[in-house]
Amino acid sequence: MAQRLTNRVDLLDPYEVAQLGGIELAARGVVEGFLAGLHRSPFRGFSVEFAEHRPYQPGDELRYLDWKLLARADRLFVKQYEEETNLRSMVVLDVSRSMDWVGGERRLTKLEYAKRLVAALALVLLRQRDATGLIAFDERVRSVVRARARHGHWWQLLAALGELEAGQGTVAEPALRQVTDLLRRRGLVIFVSDLLLDKDLALLALQHLRHRGHQVVVFHIMDPAELSLEGPPEARFEDPETGGAVVARPRELRGVYEETVRRTIDEWRSSCRGGGIDYHHVLTDTPFGYVLRRAAASRSRFG
Amino acid sequence: MGFLHPLALIGLVAVALPPLLHLIGRRLPPTVVFPAVRYLTATEREHSRRLKLKNLILLLLRMAVILFVVLAAARPVARVASGTGHPPTAMALVLDNSLSSGAVVGGRRVLDVLAERARHVLERATEQDQIWIVLADGLPRRVGRAEALAAVDSVTPWPVRLDVSEAVRIAARAVEDAPLPVREVVVLSDLQETALSAGEPSAVPVLLWASPEVPQNRGIDSAHVEPRVWSPSGEVIVRLGGTFPGEAALRLEAGGHELAGAVAGSGEVVVLSATVAERGWLQARLALDPDELNADDQWFLALRVADPAATRVERGVGSFVREAADVLRQGGRIRSGDEVTLADRPAAGTTVLFPPEDPALVGAVNRTLAARGVEWRLGELVDGEWVVTGDAGAARGAPVLRRYRLLGSGPVVARAGGEPWLVRAGDVVIVASRMEVEWTGLPVSAAFVPFLDLLVNRLAAGESWVLGATPGQTVRLPAAARSILVAGEELTVQGGVVVAPLDPGVYFLRAAAGDTVGALEVNHDRRESRLAPAAPTAVRATLGPEANVLGDRAMDRELFQGARRADLTAILLTAAIAAALLEFALASVGGAARRV
């Protein structure tokens, strides 16, 4: 059992995964496990325009296997198509102060969780030879890594992720606007944030991207402790970004607070769905493999 | 509505606890960093009104719980019937007209205030009610309403003590057999602390009303004369009691003359020395400057004044007796003469007999005693170590080493080793030991001269009795007293017992032959001088847990209403429980919502 669990790092508790090593090791382990559990490649559309061959890897659909080449050269290759090979994706990562928070022991901060998730996503995309870039933002754009598909680009992304530290407030529009400049062709935009920002402005920017033909996936990162209101009988709850505070009694407000959070998540989900945006609510204690699987499943709808 | 335990209403201040705790609790809440404050802000904005209302209701419910519990502890009662009438009631009215009720407060006697309240009570009585009235003598008298009113109108302070607790028990016994639906004991008193006594609490409801104020008081607690027979000088020892601040003049009067005086304050002991010109029995009076309670500012004493006994001392009594007699003679306590003889054998007239030095003479002494009709004899000579006990004055406690056994019967004045040592029979006083150092330590002690004074001036000169009593007290008189002189009238003593007259004074006792053989000093009970009121706890402890001192309005309300009074305690406790349950339910709403 222990061996099996070790092989499926993607299904381990994120905190335990983080204990295995740095972002690179964790992401690689997650992706290996994730791909091993799939019957087909993730994030893959369908196109009739053949582009090139590439070596077969576990998870690739057998229907794309070049049987002729197998018969002729006894080597496993799959066919790739034009649309897929040219997929360009950009990960937009929120590194605001609110992301640098953890609500309990043996748990990752939202930012640490997001970094590993982004690293895993990038690895999956790059393995498919999809060009992948990164934009990190708080009140302004903090870091930009242009989308590339070449071998070794993942290490550049990892280096950028490793250098990122929590900033201040959250303003997503400049980062999303910059995506438009960086992705001139239709591509995939992955927005990773705790969504503690101006919802209307952010949605407007995401819908703008969608209208430009990009596929948009939103990962709403939340700490499980944010779902409920705990604390002393009466406390002054302070926003780490704005410094604003509310004095409240958790016991009195817990029920309605939970209702408000649920309603907010539902609003994000319905707003995204209405705008053709793929929305995923992710808690920081969710194994990375589940998140990748859900994202892959829904991504196939946009193909 | 009224309250049986109004003091419990002090607990109403606890109603302020919930808001106070609320204010204290919200002063410095801890800060918690929480990124999702925007959700909280939205929640708070949307629900603040509802939450405030909920909190307000919770606060009010908590205050209501405390309010109901405190009110219940105060035992509220309310009338449950309308109208001005009352059910037929058996009521015993205890009107405390004891000595202390003569105190004056604000220009008015306490008794007048009590009587006014008594009239108010009686005027509400109807023909269907049965009334008993109990005054300071403690006797329940069944009276009609008109008679009761007349008795109240004519009541005066009596110089006696009233045991209020006992009076209530007597009154309760009087009404408890009455065939009426309501029974009450109404007590109108100054309710002194000293008027209460332990005993079985009353089973009948007791309504107490106390005069609102008590004055500071000073009085004479006790007084006695030394020695019992003045010849013709002596001392009066007076103890003053009370709490009145400052000093007052104290005078000793007898025979229309002021004999001595002093200035003293409460709690002091005063010794007044005086010499009296008259001889025989006299009434002396101690008078203190008057204060708010006059009745305890005087004290009556019986003085017996006689010339120093004319005494002859025979050689056979020994040198110690002779020298002590010289001292008494020089001090004016005795004079030379033949009225009393100090001798070692019975002499003519009054004799103080000491045993002869030669034991061979004992037989002759005994024969002479027999010839004089004296029943006592000198018996065996015994050696040992004994101590003098009994009425031996200064000789009490003196060591005795040798004595003759006194054989016979009759009054024994003092004993040694439990056997008669000093006896008196007619005009002969017999001492069982010679006054020599081999016989007793007395001759070489300071007590010897006073002892000899006692032998000559008191025992030999004739026994007399001075008894003390409070007004109305039953007193057993000595057998020699056949009558008592009251207001110039000689009243025969029946069975050796008299009830002390109510008026303080000195009442002389007469023998069958008409001689004065003693006196009865009747003075106030000093407990009546203590005017401090009893504490409510003491009242309840002696009269029962339901006995509370009521104010004017409470008394009016409770009177005759014992059968129509409803105790609201249970209702309030139920309301408190209901409020607590409601509070719990409302406070739990948040927890229930979380599980939805």
Side-chain angles (χ1 to χ4, degrees):
Chain A
M1 176 66 78
Q3 181 62 34
R4 214 171 72 193
L5 286 177
T6 308
N7 289 341
R8 296 299 304 272
V9 174
D10 58 320
L11 302 182
L12 288 181
D13 179 85
Y15 179 79
E16 291 176 8
V17 173
Q19 303 308 305
L20 297 177
I23 296 176
E24 177 256 333
L25 274 178
R28 193 182 289 279
V30 165
V31 169
E32 293 297 341
F34 167 63
L35 293 176
L38 287 182
H39 299 294
R40 58 189 293 268
S41 290
F43 305 106
R44 186 49 47 121
F46 172 75
S47 173
V48 292
E49 189 178 348
F50 175 75
E52 62 177 344
H53 282 101
R54 69 165 173 79
Y56 170 83
Q57 61 184 32
D60 284 342
E61 288 194 40
L62 291 178
R63 58 175 169 158
Y64 297 128
L65 193 67
D66 191 334
W67 297 101
K68 290 179 181 174
L69 192 61
L70 175 64
R72 191 168 56 241
D74 196 22
R75 292 167 65 184
L76 290 171
F77 277 90
V78 291
K79 297 176 198 171
Q80 284 199 298
Y81 298 89
E82 183 63 27
E83 183 64 19
E84 293 172 2
T85 52
N86 288 337
L87 178 67
R88 298 174 71 81
S89 58
M90 187 60 76
V91 179
V92 183
L93 174 62
D94 178 0
V95 293
S96 62
R97 177 65 61 85
S98 65
M99 289 287 285
D100 189 25
W101 188 80
V102 62
E105 291 181 357
R106 296 186 61 79
R107 215 180 285 165
L108 298 175
T109 66
K110 290 187 281 184
L111 183 57
E112 289 302 317
Y113 185 90
K115 281 181 181 178
R116 282 159 180 78
L117 180 62
V118 166
L121 280 167
L123 185 59
V124 171
L125 290 166
L126 286 169
R127 279 198 176 180
Q128 298 172 165
R129 301 199 176 173
D130 291 338
T132 305
L134 172 70
I135 297 179
F137 73 96
D138 54 0
E139 287 171 324
R140 58 187 174 81
V141 174
R142 294 275 305 281
S143 172
V144 176
V145 179
R146 288 182 173 276
R148 296 270 192 281
R150 59 185 166 82
H151 183 70
H153 184 58
W154 189 58
W155 296 103
Q156 198 178 339
L157 288 171
L158 286 183
L161 286 170
E163 288 171 5
L164 287 174
E165 289 188 356
Q168 291 298 318
T170 318
V171 182
E173 302 83 66
L176 293 174
R177 204 163 46 241
Q178 193 157 354
V179 170
T180 350
D181 300 335
L182 294 173
L183 289 183
R184 298 198 178 280
R185 280 171 32 189
R186 290 170 59 195
L188 174 65
V189 179
I190 299 172
F191 186 58
V192 182
S193 168
D194 58 7
L195 297 184
L196 295 173
L197 39 69
D198 189 314
K199 182 187 164 200
D200 294 336
L201 285 177
L203 269 176
L204 201 62
L206 289 170
Q207 280 166 357
H208 175 69
L209 287 172
R210 185 71 187 123
H211 292 154
R212 293 285 298 262
H214 298 296
Q215 293 165 18
V216 181
V217 180
V218 173
F219 287 97
H220 184 175
I221 310 295
M222 280 187 85
D223 191 290
E226 289 178 301
L227 290 176
S228 183
L229 193 61
E230 304 292 345
E234 187 170 57
R236 180 177 171 275
F237 292 92
E238 186 180 279
D239 188 331
E241 289 186 10
T242 65
V246 175
V247 175
R249 294 178 178 175
R251 188 168 168 271
E252 290 176 352
L253 281 176
R254 190 172 295 132
V256 286
Y257 171 83
E258 289 170 1
E259 184 57 39
T260 303
V261 172
R262 253 196 312 271
R263 198 174 61 240
T264 305
I265 293 169
D266 289 345
E267 283 172 3
W268 271 104
R269 183 177 286 120
S270 62
S271 298
C272 288
R273 187 176 296 158
I277 298 168
D278 200 5
Y279 171 86
H280 299 285
H281 180 242
V282 180
L283 294 177
T284 56
D285 58 356
T286 310
F288 294 110
Y290 292 153
V291 183
L292 294 178
R293 188 182 296 271
R294 273 165 50 197
S298 61
R299 167 69 183 80
S300 62
R301 289 200 301 273
F302 301 115
Chain B
M1 194 175 80
F3 297 94
L4 295 182
H5 302 315
L7 275 180
L9 293 176
I10 293 170
L12 284 176
V13 295
V15 174
L17 279 179
L20 208 60
L21 290 175
H22 171 73
L23 292 174
I24 291 170
R26 62 178 298 162
R27 257 186 203 163
L28 285 173
T31 296
V32 175
V33 174
F34 192 61
V37 164
R38 65 175 58 215
Y39 301 146
L40 192 55
T41 309
T43 303
E44 216 262 342
R45 192 170 51 238
E46 290 171 18
H47 295 86
S48 64
R49 179 177 290 183
R50 189 176 65 80
L51 282 172
K52 279 178 184 170
L53 183 63
K54 178 186 167 184
N55 285 336
L56 182 64
I57 293 171
L58 284 173
L59 191 68
L60 291 174
L61 283 172
R62 285 163 194 161
M63 293 169 75
V65 170
I66 297 173
L67 178 72
F68 291 147
V69 169
V70 171
L71 287 177
R75 301 285 310 277
V77 289
R79 285 186 183 186
V80 293
S82 57
T84 55
H86 61 260
T89 302
M91 180 186 69
L93 176 65
V94 178
L95 178 58
D96 180 0
N97 64 325
S98 62
L99 180 141
S100 60
S101 71
V104 176
V105 181
R108 237 179 135 193
R109 276 195 320 195
V110 168
L111 181 59
D112 295 336
V113 178
L114 298 177
E116 183 179 304
R117 173 53 59 174
R119 277 191 289 276
H120 188 68
V121 169
L122 292 170
E123 279 163 4
R124 289 184 55 190
T126 64
E127 292 302 321
Q128 283 73 43
D129 297 329
Q130 292 183 3
I131 300 171
W132 284 260
I133 191 162
V134 182
L135 296 176
D137 57 4
L139 301 175
R141 297 176 182 84
R142 171 78 192 279
V143 288
R145 181 169 169 273
E147 288 174 284
L149 281 167
V152 168
D153 287 341
S154 61
V155 74
T156 56
W158 292 355
V160 298
R161 171 177 180 263
L162 173 65
D163 184 329
V164 171
S165 304
E166 188 57 29
V168 167
R169 287 187 274 272
I170 291 168
R173 282 196 292 273
V175 298
E176 65 189 2
D177 292 332
L180 295 179
V182 181
R183 301 177 188 90
E184 291 176 345
V185 174
V186 178
V187 180
L188 308 176
S189 169
D190 54 1
L191 214 55
Q192 298 164 271
E193 190 176 6
T194 53
L196 300 178
S197 63
E200 193 69 25
S202 166
V204 177
V206 180
L207 308 179
L208 290 139
W209 187 90
S211 54
E213 289 182 72
V214 290
Q216 295 270 32
N217 182 45
R218 173 177 49 218
I220 299 174
D221 268 1
S222 64
H224 66 278
V225 298
E226 284 289 347
R228 288 193 188 175
V229 181
W230 287 18
S231 51
S233 302
E235 292 175 337
V236 175
I237 294 100
V238 189
R239 180 182 293 275
L240 301 184
T243 56
F244 200 96
E247 295 185 323
L250 177 68
R251 296 176 302 282
L252 175 65
E253 301 163 351
H257 306 292
E258 183 173 326
L259 303 179
V263 173
S266 303
E268 291 185 26
V269 176
V270 182
V271 179
L272 299 173
S273 300
T275 302
V276 181
E278 292 90 343
R279 298 295 182 267
W281 285 94
L282 299 172
Q283 172 178 287
R285 175 176 173 266
L286 283 162
L288 196 61
D289 278 351
D291 56 11
E292 277 74 1
L293 179 59
N294 287 343
D296 64 352
D297 294 334
Q298 60 178 356
W299 193 274
F300 294 94
L301 296 162
L303 286 185
R304 188 183 176 200
V305 188
D307 284 326
T311 307
R312 181 165 58 88
V313 183
E314 293 195 348
R315 290 190 62 82
V317 296
S319 59
F320 286 105
V321 175
R322 288 200 304 275
E323 286 170 15
D326 284 343
V327 171
L328 288 173
R329 193 176 293 112
Q330 287 164 16
R333 295 295 302 166
I334 61 175
R335 57 195 166 91
S336 299
D338 291 329
E339 290 174 7
V340 178
T341 303
L342 302 176
D344 58 350
R345 71 196 68 185
T350 302
T351 304
V352 176
L353 176 66
F354 297 96
E357 187 175 18
D358 184 357
L361 299 176
V362 168
V365 169
N366 284 338
R367 284 193 294 277
T368 312
L369 288 172
R372 290 186 60 167
V374 175
E375 294 185 1
W376 291 96
R377 303 286 182 271
L378 295 178
E380 179 191 1
L381 180 64
V382 289
D383 289 322
E385 282 188 26
W386 307 281
V387 170
V388 177
T389 57
D391 190 16
R396 189 183 304 141
V400 174
L401 305 172
R402 182 178 296 168
R403 63 182 168 87
Y404 280 98
R405 284 217 161 90
L406 295 181
L407 309 174
S409 61
V412 176
V413 179
R415 294 175 184 272
E419 295 183 352
W421 183 75
L422 175 62
V423 298
R424 185 176 187 277
D427 56 357
V428 177
V429 175
I430 307 172
V431 185
S433 300
R434 284 183 62 79
M435 293 297 109
E436 306 286 353
V437 290
E438 295 83 7
W439 293 67
T440 169
L442 259 176
V444 290
S445 73
F448 186 51
V449 173
F451 174 62
L452 203 63
D453 187 6
L454 174 121
L455 291 177
V456 174
N457 284 312
R458 189 180 130 201
L459 297 180
E463 187 60 285
S464 61
W465 297 270
V466 176
L467 307 170
T470 56
Q473 183 183 349
T474 301
V475 185
R476 176 163 291 281
L477 300 180
R482 298 301 170 84
S483 62
I484 183 169
L485 204 59
V486 178
E489 192 177 346
E490 201 167 310
L491 304 176
T492 304
V493 174
Q494 302 289 339
V497 172
V498 293
V499 174
L502 286 181
D503 291 330
V506 174
Y507 300 89
F508 294 108
L509 307 175
R510 295 277 172 82
D515 298 333
T516 300
V517 293
L520 177 63
E521 295 173 348
V522 178
N523 288 294
H524 64 266
D525 189 319
R526 66 181 175 190
R527 287 173 290 184
E528 281 295 311
S529 292
R530 309 288 189 269
L531 302 183
T537 49
V539 172
R540 283 193 288 274
T542 56
L543 300 182
E546 302 295 329
N548 286 293
V549 181
L550 305 171
D552 291 353
R553 293 179 63 184
M555 174 61 95
D556 288 344
R557 186 177 57 245
E558 299 298 320
L559 204 60
F560 302 119
Q561 292 296 324
R564 296 185 177 190
R565 196 174 55 185
D567 193 336
L568 304 182
T569 307
I571 296 172
L572 284 166
L573 284 178
T574 307
I577 292 168
L581 290 174
L582 197 58
E583 192 271 348
F584 179 74
L586 193 58
S588 304
V589 165
R594 190 170 66 242
R595 291 190 294 274
V596 172

